[in-house]
Amino acid sequence: MTTARLPLFPLNAVLFPGLVLPLNVFEERYRAMLRELLKTDEDEPRRFVVVAVRDGREVAVTGTGMPGSGEPLPERAAADGFGPDPVQTFHRVGCVADAATIRERSDGSFEVLATGTTRVRLLSVDASGPFLTAEVEEIAEDPDADDARTLSEGVLRAFRAYQKQLAGASERSLATGAELPDAPSVVSYLVAAATVLDIPTKQRLLQAPDTATRLREELALLRRETAVIRELPSLPAGDLTRAPTHLN
């Protein structure tokens, strides 16, 4: 397996390969990470690992030093908020992100637009520097087998039904087959990201051992969620096409 040491960005969110992640970065430890990434040649990928927090917080609980407060941000050590052994605080499977856009604001904070690329497994976490780094190994994607293709078709049908129930839309307003991907692995990640699920469930989908397993679980989840929404029509609709900006 291919291993690498990369900057680590813990979030209260799960990133999937192929999905876009906007970030609003204001903590000094993450600013330092981005300043280091900006040293990479523009023709090379500016990679870091996004990992979901199992226990802990991605930012300090404080009323001061937050964006717009007019007060300076407190400097925090790389592992602050993540316990004495940070690797135990994070889920062990994350996703490499490639920062296509890094824009520094006048106040020193950053706007970042990154895209998930490859699943990785955390082997160790180093908190000795100004920001966290991790040794990771790549998790190979399995070839799309025939059963995955069959499952993918069922998941797309179930996803359209889920969208219809969630948004209260007509069939004409839903994405057509031509607008959705064909590759089962891509379908599995798109549906995992777009379905309104809690972090542990999304994490379970991210670390599924193969595409067919992920699709099989998504099919069951979509059918269950669609049935729940049908019985509770007053549930608020979610925006399935846009991800929130994470404040860090």
mmCIF file of all heavy atoms in Angstrom, residues 99-132:
data_model
loop_
_atom_site.group_PDB
_atom_site.id
_atom_site.type_symbol
_atom_site.label_atom_id
_atom_site.label_comp_id
_atom_site.label_asym_id
_atom_site.label_seq_id
_atom_site.Cartn_x
_atom_site.Cartn_y
_atom_site.Cartn_z
ATOM 1 N N ALA A 99 -6.672 21.045 -2.656
ATOM 2 C CA ALA A 99 -7.124 22.436 -2.569
ATOM 3 C C ALA A 99 -6.888 23.132 -3.910
ATOM 4 O O ALA A 99 -5.785 23.590 -4.203
ATOM 5 C CB ALA A 99 -6.390 23.164 -1.455
ATOM 6 N N ALA A 100 -7.930 23.208 -4.707
ATOM 7 C CA ALA A 100 -7.813 23.852 -6.013
ATOM 8 C C ALA A 100 -7.686 25.360 -5.865
ATOM 9 O O ALA A 100 -7.016 26.023 -6.661
ATOM 10 C CB ALA A 100 -9.029 23.509 -6.874
ATOM 11 N N THR A 101 -8.353 25.914 -4.850
ATOM 12 C CA THR A 101 -8.328 27.367 -4.623
ATOM 13 C C THR A 101 -8.022 27.635 -3.158
ATOM 14 O O THR A 101 -8.675 27.082 -2.271
ATOM 15 C CB THR A 101 -9.680 28.000 -4.969
ATOM 16 O OG1 THR A 101 -10.018 27.696 -6.325
ATOM 17 C CG2 THR A 101 -9.631 29.509 -4.776
ATOM 18 N N ILE A 102 -7.011 28.480 -2.913
ATOM 19 C CA ILE A 102 -6.708 28.964 -1.563
ATOM 20 C C ILE A 102 -6.569 30.478 -1.669
ATOM 21 O O ILE A 102 -5.669 30.986 -2.327
ATOM 22 C CB ILE A 102 -5.400 28.364 -1.007
ATOM 23 C CG1 ILE A 102 -5.466 26.832 -0.983
ATOM 24 C CG2 ILE A 102 -5.130 28.908 0.398
ATOM 25 C CD1 ILE A 102 -4.167 26.173 -0.523
ATOM 26 N N ARG A 103 -7.485 31.185 -1.044
ATOM 27 C CA ARG A 103 -7.457 32.654 -1.142
ATOM 28 C C ARG A 103 -7.336 33.248 0.250
ATOM 29 O O ARG A 103 -8.170 32.998 1.126
ATOM 30 C CB ARG A 103 -8.729 33.177 -1.812
ATOM 31 C CG ARG A 103 -8.696 34.680 -2.084
ATOM 32 C CD ARG A 103 -9.922 35.120 -2.867
ATOM 33 N NE ARG A 103 -11.122 35.135 -2.047
ATOM 34 C CZ ARG A 103 -11.462 36.158 -1.262
ATOM 35 N NH1 ARG A 103 -10.679 37.230 -1.165
ATOM 36 N NH2 ARG A 103 -12.579 36.100 -0.559
ATOM 37 N N GLU A 104 -6.267 34.025 0.468
ATOM 38 C CA GLU A 104 -6.057 34.665 1.758
ATOM 39 C C GLU A 104 -6.771 36.009 1.792
ATOM 40 O O GLU A 104 -6.656 36.823 0.880
ATOM 41 C CB GLU A 104 -4.567 34.857 2.041
ATOM 42 C CG GLU A 104 -4.295 35.388 3.434
ATOM 43 C CD GLU A 104 -2.814 35.385 3.799
ATOM 44 O OE1 GLU A 104 -1.986 35.091 2.909
ATOM 45 O OE2 GLU A 104 -2.491 35.681 4.966
ATOM 46 N N ARG A 105 -7.497 36.247 2.890
ATOM 47 C CA ARG A 105 -8.179 37.522 3.083
ATOM 48 C C ARG A 105 -7.236 38.520 3.747
ATOM 49 O O ARG A 105 -6.163 38.159 4.236
ATOM 50 C CB ARG A 105 -9.414 37.337 3.953
ATOM 51 C CG ARG A 105 -10.454 36.357 3.411
ATOM 52 C CD ARG A 105 -11.709 36.449 4.260
ATOM 53 N NE ARG A 105 -12.694 35.436 3.918
ATOM 54 C CZ ARG A 105 -12.850 34.297 4.568
ATOM 55 N NH1 ARG A 105 -12.056 33.998 5.583
ATOM 56 N NH2 ARG A 105 -13.791 33.444 4.203
ATOM 57 N N SER A 106 -7.671 39.758 3.814
ATOM 58 C CA SER A 106 -6.842 40.810 4.393
ATOM 59 C C SER A 106 -6.596 40.597 5.878
ATOM 60 O O SER A 106 -5.593 41.057 6.420
ATOM 61 C CB SER A 106 -7.503 42.184 4.169
ATOM 62 O OG SER A 106 -8.798 42.210 4.756
ATOM 63 N N ASP A 107 -7.513 39.871 6.569
ATOM 64 C CA ASP A 107 -7.326 39.638 7.998
ATOM 65 C C ASP A 107 -6.505 38.389 8.293
ATOM 66 O O ASP A 107 -6.324 38.019 9.447
ATOM 67 C CB ASP A 107 -8.682 39.543 8.709
ATOM 68 C CG ASP A 107 -9.519 38.354 8.228
ATOM 69 O OD1 ASP A 107 -9.065 37.620 7.324
ATOM 70 O OD2 ASP A 107 -10.635 38.159 8.757
ATOM 71 N N GLY A 108 -5.986 37.742 7.248
ATOM 72 C CA GLY A 108 -5.150 36.561 7.439
ATOM 73 C C GLY A 108 -5.901 35.243 7.411
ATOM 74 O O GLY A 108 -5.284 34.182 7.419
ATOM 75 N N SER A 109 -7.241 35.283 7.387
ATOM 76 C CA SER A 109 -8.006 34.047 7.264
ATOM 77 C C SER A 109 -8.024 33.621 5.787
ATOM 78 O O SER A 109 -7.571 34.355 4.905
ATOM 79 C CB SER A 109 -9.421 34.239 7.793
ATOM 80 O OG SER A 109 -10.127 35.193 7.018
ATOM 81 N N PHE A 110 -8.553 32.430 5.543
ATOM 82 C CA PHE A 110 -8.503 31.881 4.188
ATOM 83 C C PHE A 110 -9.869 31.376 3.746
ATOM 84 O O PHE A 110 -10.647 30.855 4.558
ATOM 85 C CB PHE A 110 -7.523 30.703 4.117
ATOM 86 C CG PHE A 110 -6.074 31.077 4.207
ATOM 87 C CD1 PHE A 110 -5.459 31.206 5.445
ATOM 88 C CD2 PHE A 110 -5.315 31.291 3.065
ATOM 89 C CE1 PHE A 110 -4.116 31.536 5.539
ATOM 90 C CE2 PHE A 110 -3.980 31.618 3.154
ATOM 91 C CZ PHE A 110 -3.379 31.744 4.398
ATOM 92 N N GLU A 111 -10.128 31.503 2.463
ATOM 93 C CA GLU A 111 -11.220 30.796 1.805
ATOM 94 C C GLU A 111 -10.597 29.686 0.964
ATOM 95 O O GLU A 111 -9.649 29.928 0.211
ATOM 96 C CB GLU A 111 -12.028 31.725 0.903
ATOM 97 C CG GLU A 111 -12.908 32.709 1.638
ATOM 98 C CD GLU A 111 -13.731 33.541 0.675
ATOM 99 O OE1 GLU A 111 -13.696 33.244 -0.546
ATOM 100 O OE2 GLU A 111 -14.382 34.486 1.123
ATOM 101 N N VAL A 112 -11.118 28.489 1.113
ATOM 102 C CA VAL A 112 -10.544 27.325 0.428
ATOM 103 C C VAL A 112 -11.656 26.573 -0.281
ATOM 104 O O VAL A 112 -12.765 26.422 0.245
ATOM 105 C CB VAL A 112 -9.846 26.377 1.428
ATOM 106 C CG1 VAL A 112 -9.241 25.177 0.709
ATOM 107 C CG2 VAL A 112 -8.769 27.130 2.208
ATOM 108 N N LEU A 113 -11.356 26.120 -1.474
ATOM 109 C CA LEU A 113 -12.248 25.222 -2.185
ATOM 110 C C LEU A 113 -11.446 23.983 -2.543
ATOM 111 O O LEU A 113 -10.478 24.046 -3.310
ATOM 112 C CB LEU A 113 -12.799 25.882 -3.456
ATOM 113 C CG LEU A 113 -13.982 25.159 -4.114
ATOM 114 C CD1 LEU A 113 -15.196 25.145 -3.182
ATOM 115 C CD2 LEU A 113 -14.342 25.831 -5.432
ATOM 116 N N ALA A 114 -11.828 22.856 -1.943
ATOM 117 C CA ALA A 114 -11.077 21.611 -2.120
ATOM 118 C C ALA A 114 -12.007 20.523 -2.654
ATOM 119 O O ALA A 114 -13.229 20.606 -2.524
ATOM 120 C CB ALA A 114 -10.457 21.173 -0.798
ATOM 121 N N THR A 115 -11.401 19.495 -3.221
ATOM 122 C CA THR A 115 -12.156 18.363 -3.753
ATOM 123 C C THR A 115 -11.592 17.070 -3.190
ATOM 124 O O THR A 115 -10.373 16.875 -3.172
ATOM 125 C CB THR A 115 -12.082 18.321 -5.292
ATOM 126 O OG1 THR A 115 -12.562 19.548 -5.822
ATOM 127 C CG2 THR A 115 -12.911 17.171 -5.839
ATOM 128 N N GLY A 116 -12.471 16.201 -2.715
ATOM 129 C CA GLY A 116 -12.034 14.899 -2.232
ATOM 130 C C GLY A 116 -11.488 14.054 -3.368
ATOM 131 O O GLY A 116 -12.020 14.073 -4.485
ATOM 132 N N THR A 117 -10.424 13.309 -3.097
ATOM 133 C CA THR A 117 -9.797 12.516 -4.162
ATOM 134 C C THR A 117 -9.718 11.027 -3.826
ATOM 135 O O THR A 117 -10.229 10.200 -4.560
ATOM 136 C CB THR A 117 -8.389 13.037 -4.480
ATOM 137 O OG1 THR A 117 -7.567 12.945 -3.303
ATOM 138 C CG2 THR A 117 -8.432 14.477 -4.962
ATOM 139 N N THR A 118 -9.095 10.688 -2.698
ATOM 140 C CA THR A 118 -8.789 9.291 -2.410
ATOM 141 C C THR A 118 -9.052 8.980 -0.947
ATOM 142 O O THR A 118 -8.703 9.774 -0.073
ATOM 143 C CB THR A 118 -7.289 9.005 -2.698
ATOM 144 O OG1 THR A 118 -6.977 9.437 -4.020
ATOM 145 C CG2 THR A 118 -6.980 7.525 -2.560
ATOM 146 N N ARG A 119 -9.629 7.818 -0.675
ATOM 147 C CA ARG A 119 -9.781 7.385 0.710
ATOM 148 C C ARG A 119 -8.430 6.945 1.268
ATOM 149 O O ARG A 119 -7.621 6.333 0.566
ATOM 150 C CB ARG A 119 -10.757 6.212 0.806
ATOM 151 C CG ARG A 119 -12.188 6.553 0.484
ATOM 152 C CD ARG A 119 -13.089 5.371 0.768
ATOM 153 N NE ARG A 119 -12.653 4.176 0.049
ATOM 154 C CZ ARG A 119 -12.954 2.923 0.410
ATOM 155 N NH1 ARG A 119 -13.677 2.698 1.486
ATOM 156 N NH2 ARG A 119 -12.528 1.898 -0.296
ATOM 157 N N VAL A 120 -8.207 7.262 2.543
ATOM 158 C CA VAL A 120 -6.973 6.848 3.212
ATOM 159 C C VAL A 120 -7.286 6.374 4.626
ATOM 160 O O VAL A 120 -8.310 6.729 5.201
ATOM 161 C CB VAL A 120 -5.932 7.995 3.277
ATOM 162 C CG1 VAL A 120 -5.372 8.317 1.907
ATOM 163 C CG2 VAL A 120 -6.528 9.227 3.934
ATOM 164 N N ARG A 121 -6.373 5.587 5.164
ATOM 165 C CA ARG A 121 -6.480 5.107 6.545
ATOM 166 C C ARG A 121 -5.392 5.774 7.374
ATOM 167 O O ARG A 121 -4.225 5.800 6.985
ATOM 168 C CB ARG A 121 -6.337 3.591 6.600
ATOM 169 C CG ARG A 121 -6.460 2.994 8.001
ATOM 170 C CD ARG A 121 -6.439 1.482 7.962
ATOM 171 N NE ARG A 121 -7.664 0.945 7.367
ATOM 172 C CZ ARG A 121 -7.754 0.456 6.135
ATOM 173 N NH1 ARG A 121 -6.683 0.438 5.346
ATOM 174 N NH2 ARG A 121 -8.889 -0.009 5.672
ATOM 175 N N LEU A 122 -5.765 6.335 8.530
ATOM 176 C CA LEU A 122 -4.789 6.958 9.419
ATOM 177 C C LEU A 122 -3.951 5.889 10.108
ATOM 178 O O LEU A 122 -4.488 4.970 10.720
ATOM 179 C CB LEU A 122 -5.498 7.802 10.485
ATOM 180 C CG LEU A 122 -5.654 9.300 10.223
ATOM 181 C CD1 LEU A 122 -6.542 9.524 9.007
ATOM 182 C CD2 LEU A 122 -6.203 10.009 11.443
ATOM 183 N N LEU A 123 -2.638 6.030 10.017
ATOM 184 C CA LEU A 123 -1.725 5.127 10.710
ATOM 185 C C LEU A 123 -1.189 5.771 11.980
ATOM 186 O O LEU A 123 -0.999 5.090 12.988
ATOM 187 C CB LEU A 123 -0.577 4.730 9.780
ATOM 188 C CG LEU A 123 -0.966 4.049 8.462
ATOM 189 C CD1 LEU A 123 0.273 3.770 7.625
ATOM 190 C CD2 LEU A 123 -1.744 2.773 8.727
ATOM 191 N N SER A 124 -0.913 7.071 11.933
ATOM 192 C CA SER A 124 -0.416 7.790 13.106
ATOM 193 C C SER A 124 -0.661 9.274 12.905
ATOM 194 O O SER A 124 -0.860 9.742 11.777
ATOM 195 C CB SER A 124 1.087 7.532 13.312
ATOM 196 O OG SER A 124 1.842 8.051 12.220
ATOM 197 N N VAL A 125 -0.651 10.013 14.015
ATOM 198 C CA VAL A 125 -0.842 11.467 13.986
ATOM 199 C C VAL A 125 0.308 12.120 14.732
ATOM 200 O O VAL A 125 0.675 11.684 15.826
ATOM 201 C CB VAL A 125 -2.186 11.873 14.617
ATOM 202 C CG1 VAL A 125 -2.304 13.389 14.729
ATOM 203 C CG2 VAL A 125 -3.351 11.325 13.796
ATOM 204 N N ASP A 126 0.881 13.155 14.134
ATOM 205 C CA ASP A 126 1.993 13.894 14.737
ATOM 206 C C ASP A 126 1.509 15.294 15.100
ATOM 207 O O ASP A 126 1.054 16.044 14.236
ATOM 208 C CB ASP A 126 3.154 13.965 13.740
ATOM 209 C CG ASP A 126 4.379 14.676 14.310
ATOM 210 O OD1 ASP A 126 4.332 15.110 15.480
ATOM 211 O OD2 ASP A 126 5.383 14.806 13.581
ATOM 212 N N ALA A 127 1.610 15.639 16.386
ATOM 213 C CA ALA A 127 1.164 16.950 16.866
ATOM 214 C C ALA A 127 2.335 17.831 17.278
ATOM 215 O O ALA A 127 2.152 18.817 17.978
ATOM 216 C CB ALA A 127 0.212 16.766 18.044
ATOM 217 N N SER A 128 3.547 17.507 16.835
ATOM 218 C CA SER A 128 4.728 18.248 17.301
ATOM 219 C C SER A 128 4.921 19.579 16.584
ATOM 220 O O SER A 128 5.648 20.443 17.071
ATOM 221 C CB SER A 128 5.976 17.389 17.117
ATOM 222 O OG SER A 128 6.191 17.086 15.743
ATOM 223 N N GLY A 129 4.302 19.772 15.443
ATOM 224 C CA GLY A 129 4.486 20.995 14.683
ATOM 225 C C GLY A 129 3.376 22.002 14.928
ATOM 226 O O GLY A 129 2.539 21.828 15.826
ATOM 227 N N PRO A 130 3.299 23.036 14.104
ATOM 228 C CA PRO A 130 2.257 24.063 14.276
ATOM 229 C C PRO A 130 0.867 23.579 13.871
ATOM 230 O O PRO A 130 -0.132 24.196 14.224
ATOM 231 C CB PRO A 130 2.732 25.205 13.366
ATOM 232 C CG PRO A 130 3.591 24.538 12.342
ATOM 233 C CD PRO A 130 4.269 23.402 13.056
ATOM 234 N N PHE A 131 0.798 22.490 13.103
ATOM 235 C CA PHE A 131 -0.479 21.892 12.721
ATOM 236 C C PHE A 131 -0.308 20.376 12.694
ATOM 237 O O PHE A 131 0.805 19.854 12.630
ATOM 238 C CB PHE A 131 -0.961 22.416 11.359
ATOM 239 C CG PHE A 131 0.050 22.284 10.246
ATOM 240 C CD1 PHE A 131 0.167 21.115 9.506
ATOM 241 C CD2 PHE A 131 0.898 23.345 9.938
ATOM 242 C CE1 PHE A 131 1.099 20.991 8.484
ATOM 243 C CE2 PHE A 131 1.839 23.242 8.925
ATOM 244 C CZ PHE A 131 1.942 22.059 8.193
ATOM 245 N N LEU A 132 -1.421 19.674 12.751
ATOM 246 C CA LEU A 132 -1.381 18.216 12.764
ATOM 247 C C LEU A 132 -0.962 17.669 11.403
ATOM 248 O O LEU A 132 -1.342 18.200 10.357
ATOM 249 C CB LEU A 132 -2.754 17.642 13.114
ATOM 250 C CG LEU A 132 -3.297 17.904 14.519
ATOM 251 C CD1 LEU A 132 -4.732 17.397 14.619
ATOM 252 C CD2 LEU A 132 -2.420 17.239 15.578
#
